[in-house]
Amino acid sequence: MINRRKTKEVSIGNVKIGANNPIAVQSMCNTKTTDVGKTLKQIDSLTAAGCEIVRLAVENSEDIIAFSKIKRKVLVPLVADIQFDSKLALGAIDAGADKIRINPGNTTDFWSVLKYAREKDVAVRVGFNSGSSQGFDFSLLGKIDYHKTVFAAKDSDVNKTVSAYRKLSKLTDFPLHLGVTEAGTIISGSIKSAIGLGVLLSEGIGDTIRVSLAGDPVKEVAVAYKILQSLKLRENRVEVIACPTCSRCQIDVESIAEKVEEKTADIRNPLKVAVMGCPVNGPGEAKSADFGISGAKGMGVIFVKGKIIKQVKEDQIIDELMYILRTK
């Protein structure tokens, strides 16, 4: 059982973070904000995957106009990501942003943004990334007293990220946005994020997270939930466990496990599904699973709570498992 750090509650649109609220999952569109159609389509994909807060880049006045159009068509809270120009932050607030992401290290007139956000009751994420002009200025903590502030101190180095957030957690009770920035591609980025975020979350640090990966942001959401589920912080997804493949395997464990993950991605129940390659690994070793497959040559058995209920041919395993899983 992880004892989460006590933090203030901050509302970002209709999502509350901090306090006793679930750790929220965020991501960022990689479409051009001015391409309203593509951005809306990607927001739909993100929210379908479970993304609870979506960030958009705002780089110019055209982005602000597009942001306003997008905001009118979605229910998910939208964050305006601002770099360099504080006037864009003011415009994004007027365009309906639920939160402003701003970096005091590279943005002009940060304090005017904070003041305007307070007037409009809009949340602000204050933070620095490793690519910014300076590191996180911890002296800012004593100067910021706006009740809808969230802090972040990301770095692409896992150890530096962990160290910065540990220090932040001792200096403020505002919510913390966790992430390892510029983490990398799907494999390396997921590993770095799982280690960095996993360490902090296991210590009770963190109120909202974003897994930063190069590529499709929908994958960021999937990885974020797997990290949270592994720590039993958000158990609202199917967990697929699979045996380590060896010479005893008599079915294609890797392919079947991947297809089972894909076909159960829409389920919002904390089920455990096992894919086992031979009688040695299941259903005995996987008896804790809610549903499972155990392979034999050209066939397999389907079991529920460790009890075998059906024997099927290998090419029917996935369909039969899905039918049983969704009708039981």
Side-chain angles (χ1 to χ4, degrees):
M1 180 71 177
I2 294 173
N3 293 316
R4 289 179 58 196
R5 164 179 163 269
K6 301 298 183 184
T7 57
K8 297 176 180 178
E9 183 176 86
V10 171
S11 296
I12 302 168
N14 57 11
V15 173
K16 297 181 185 298
I17 65 170
N20 294 318
N21 294 294
I23 295 169
V25 172
Q26 304 193 25
S27 188
M28 183 173 181
C29 286
N30 60 11
T31 54
K32 290 290 185 182
T33 304
T34 49
D35 192 331
V36 173
K38 282 188 178 180
T39 302
L40 284 171
K41 185 176 180 180
Q42 190 166 79
I43 290 173
D44 285 344
S45 296
L46 286 167
T47 55
C51 186
E52 294 161 313
I53 301 170
V54 177
R55 183 154 40 116
L56 305 179
V58 174
E59 300 181 274
N60 49 52
S61 58
E62 288 77 17
D63 283 341
I64 291 175
I65 294 170
F67 191 102
S68 179
K69 293 178 181 178
I70 293 165
K71 177 60 183 172
R72 292 195 293 268
K73 293 180 179 292
V74 299
L75 297 176
V76 67
L78 293 185
V79 181
D81 187 283
I82 308 296
Q83 303 285 346
F84 309 119
D85 189 351
S86 62
K87 292 180 181 178
L88 293 175
L90 305 182
I93 291 173
D94 288 336
D98 296 292
K99 185 170 75 170
I100 298 294
R101 185 273 188 189
I102 192 166
N103 187 332
N106 68 12
T107 305
T108 61
D109 206 1
F110 161 74
W111 295 105
S112 68
V113 176
L114 199 65
K115 180 181 178 182
Y116 196 58
R118 184 196 297 268
E119 291 176 8
K120 298 295 184 180
D121 196 35
V122 171
V124 177
R125 179 185 134 200
V126 179
F128 293 80
N129 287 351
S130 58
S132 305
S133 58
Q134 63 186 77
F136 194 98
D137 184 357
F138 288 97
S139 66
L140 279 174
L141 297 176
K143 301 175 184 177
I144 297 174
D145 62 355
Y146 178 37
H147 72 283
K148 296 188 76 169
T149 302
V150 180
F151 286 104
K154 298 182 181 183
D155 197 280
S156 59
D157 182 286
V158 171
N159 291 326
K160 289 181 180 178
T161 296
V162 170
S163 177
Y165 278 106
R166 281 174 172 165
K167 186 173 182 179
L168 260 182
S169 70
K170 294 176 181 177
L171 296 174
T172 181
D173 60 355
F174 282 107
L176 298 184
H177 170 114
L178 299 189
V180 177
T181 194
E182 301 154 1
T185 56
I186 184 67
I187 294 178
S188 61
S190 296
I191 292 171
K192 289 175 69 174
S193 297
I195 294 171
L197 274 60
V199 168
L200 293 165
L201 291 167
S202 69
E203 295 176 4
I205 298 170
D207 302 282
T208 180
I209 66 173
R210 185 221 172 164
V211 173
S212 299
L213 301 175
D216 184 356
V218 173
K219 293 180 180 179
E220 297 183 349
V221 178
V223 174
Y225 275 108
K226 287 185 183 301
I227 292 171
L228 293 173
Q229 186 165 18
S230 295
L231 294 169
K232 300 190 182 303
L233 289 168
R234 292 288 299 269
E235 295 185 278
N236 60 347
R237 293 291 192 280
V238 172
E239 178 186 3
V240 177
I241 61 174
C243 66
T245 54
C246 69
S247 60
R248 287 193 299 262
C249 286
Q250 299 183 61
I251 58 172
D252 187 351
V253 172
E254 180 183 13
S255 175
I256 292 173
E258 288 176 348
K259 288 175 182 175
V260 170
E261 278 196 337
E262 179 184 337
K263 290 179 178 292
T264 58
D266 65 312
I267 297 175
R268 297 293 178 261
N269 290 320
L271 300 175
K272 182 180 288 188
V273 180
V275 179
M276 299 295 163
C278 71
V280 173
N281 291 60
E285 290 189 13
K287 62 183 178 182
S288 64
D290 297 292
F291 301 90
I293 297 166
S294 180
K297 188 174 183 180
M299 56 158 287
V301 295
I302 296 174
F303 55 91
V304 177
K305 298 291 187 181
K307 182 180 180 180
I308 295 173
I309 63 168
K310 195 168 189 178
Q311 179 175 306
V312 296
K313 294 180 179 178
E314 182 174 354
D315 60 2
Q316 299 173 344
I317 286 178
I318 296 174
D319 289 341
E320 288 291 335
L321 174 65
M322 289 302 103
Y323 175 77
I324 292 169
L325 189 153
R326 291 181 182 275
T327 56
K328 281 286 184 180

